[in-house]
Amino acid sequence: MTSSSHTDLSWDEFDELRDPRPAENEFDRVVERAISRRGFLGSVLAFGSGAAVFGSGLLSTTTAARAQAAGFAFTPIGIFTDHDIHVPEGYQWKPLVRWGDALFSEAEGAYSPETGVPVAMSDKVFGENTDGMETFEHDGHVLLTINSEYVNPKINLPAASEGKPQTADEVMLLKNMQGVTVLEIAPQDGTWGVVVDSAYNRRITHETQMTMDGPAAGSDLVKTNADPEGMSPKGTMNNCGSGRTLWGTYLTCEENFNGYFGMVTEREQTPAEKRYGIGGESNYLYEKFDPRYDISAEPNEPHRHGWVTEIDPADPESTPVKHTALGRFKHENAEMVQAADGRIVVYMGDDERGEFIYRYVSNGTWAEGEPTDGLLSDGTLYVAKFNDDQSGEWLALTPETTGMSAEEILVFSRMAGSEVGATTMDRPEWIAANPLRAEVYCALTNNSKRGGDAMPVNAANPRETNEYGQIVRWQPEGGDHGADSFAWDLYVMAGNPAVHSDAYAGSQNVTEGNMFNSPDGMAFSSDGMLWIQTDGDDSNEGDFAGQGNNQMLVGNPETGEIARFLTAPNGAEVTGLTWSPDRKVAFVGIQHPGGSWPDGAGKPRSAVIQVWREDGATIG
Ligand code: FEO
Ligand code: CA
Ligand code: CA
């Protein structure tokens, strides 16, 4: 890695540079991976009643023969390439909260398009680059918890040359613009607005004091000079997707934490650092101003990040808890459901080329009103194996199966997953469980490195150089999330039927009218529809011609039909989705917009928007 700044790079580009690669998977190498055309077709939409006609036509299907979106509560929209939001006829939108908006009255007016937010106010405003979020109700108050995944230094630090932080204050500003925001919202002028100065409003940043639980808490692997007990980590970082516990707390997921650590004094990377992409120079040069982020001084500090962290939005004084039992990797989101016997189950993806899908199962059981102690600290972590015959298994990560200690399994989960032969996936992003039946969906966003000996194709990840992505889904045996086996299929393979006539055209439910690339965010609405958000190539050129800006679509799990609901401003991804308690308003995150959206005032501002129907009906 050169000494030039990486601050111009997107996280995906940064990750390509760092190139964390899975250890070569012995199980991939020994299995003959010739996926037949029949097998390939058979894995698409096997569950839905409107399943593709297997063995006929995917590769030669005309547009007219492809499924047409129907049966949705809205008229699907076309693509757009502009710097605005578009929603269906009969729907409206407006911003709810933008980067730099005040959470407390002392910070009102702190943001300006010329200078951004001053450091003194940077933990009293809404952070940048909104991502996963959830709605909670507490004592008659409506609370939103919202991740701020990362920052764009150039627009946060207009004074610093090329967006590189030059002082400890500027580093602190960047730290404060990320993390998590808890804010109260209330009806205002017919829509929703932020309750400035609410006692619930809170920022949780890279500096907030936390605690840890589970088998790796207090282990030698997480001890540092500042915390010799290994129980008091500071900060949650690169908060990507979200989750909610059944008992009403928020789960924030630490994704590309590796990018915040640098190596000031050069030394060899350890195998674990290589596997996790830790080393070189950090994305924001934190290590130059704060030794906590220098792995040559504090090699264990990165072990204190990459966890699922629980926050109680109802208690502003509560200390967030990092749950080591859920494993350490680039956590996308955390989808909690319950096994038939009452055990807690959490599905999680590791967003890296060729990394794995995980499941945590608690030892204890829970029912409404019962204590929650131990539910996220005492259990077993599993990784998924997707067999080519569309069966699958959850492989337990234990000292017996991995040859690693309990702490090592959790701190180095990726390596434990390789030991048991987990299936390498095309970048697992959000996982969403169907509320109407035992069925779980995972967005596999894309994988530039799929194919060849190092990462051969498999039935669930069947395309080399997969630039479009797919959504895999599984049904646990017996409809029980606690079962250790499942059946799987591909709900959709994204593609471009206008450009390709082979597998890159996508599956039958992709048409020239609904096509997209790089599915990422996902959530189910209460009516059992799957909302799909994209974070992909919005050039509208070449292989992506006709796909326009990033977008949000709605998928019908029964028929496989998919319809476009919203398009983002050019440059932005759509990520994060939650609803008002009455389900009449959807809150949608717009991250890294381009142009000067939404203010039209010289600088783009990531924002959460609200979308509603003009007739006041529910929308999810
Ligand atoms: Fe933060 Fe994998 O998206
Ligand atoms: Ca994402
Ligand atoms: Ca993504």
Side-chain angles (χ1 to χ4, degrees), residues 35-37 40-41 44 57-61 66 457 461-470 490 492-497 499-508 510:
I35 307 297
S36 68
R37 178 166 174 259
F40 173 75
L41 290 167
V44 176
L58 175 67
L59 306 185
S60 61
T61 305
R66 288 168 175 272
V457 295
N461 304 273
R463 292 179 297 189
E464 293 192 351
T465 318
N466 174 17
E467 59 190 350
Y468 296 120
Q470 66 267 15
L490 295 178
V492 65
M493 278 195 298
N496 192 326
V499 171
H500 297 288
S501 56
D502 57 9
Y504 297 90
S507 49
Q508 296 264 19
V510 171

Side-chain angles (χ1 to χ4, degrees), residues 11-12 131 149-150 238-241 253 255-256 330-333 349-352 427-430 445 520-521 535 573 575 591:
W11 280 99
D12 284 354
D131 209 311
E149 187 181 31
Y150 70 99
N238 211 268
N239 306 83
C240 184
C253 300
E255 191 190 21
N256 293 301
K330 291 188 181 178
H331 279 283
E332 183 73 18
N333 83 323
D350 179 358
D351 181 3
E352 190 80 70
R427 297 187 52 200
E429 301 254 23
W430 286 64
T445 196
D520 185 341
D535 168 22
E573 73 175 272
T575 184
Q591 192 190 81

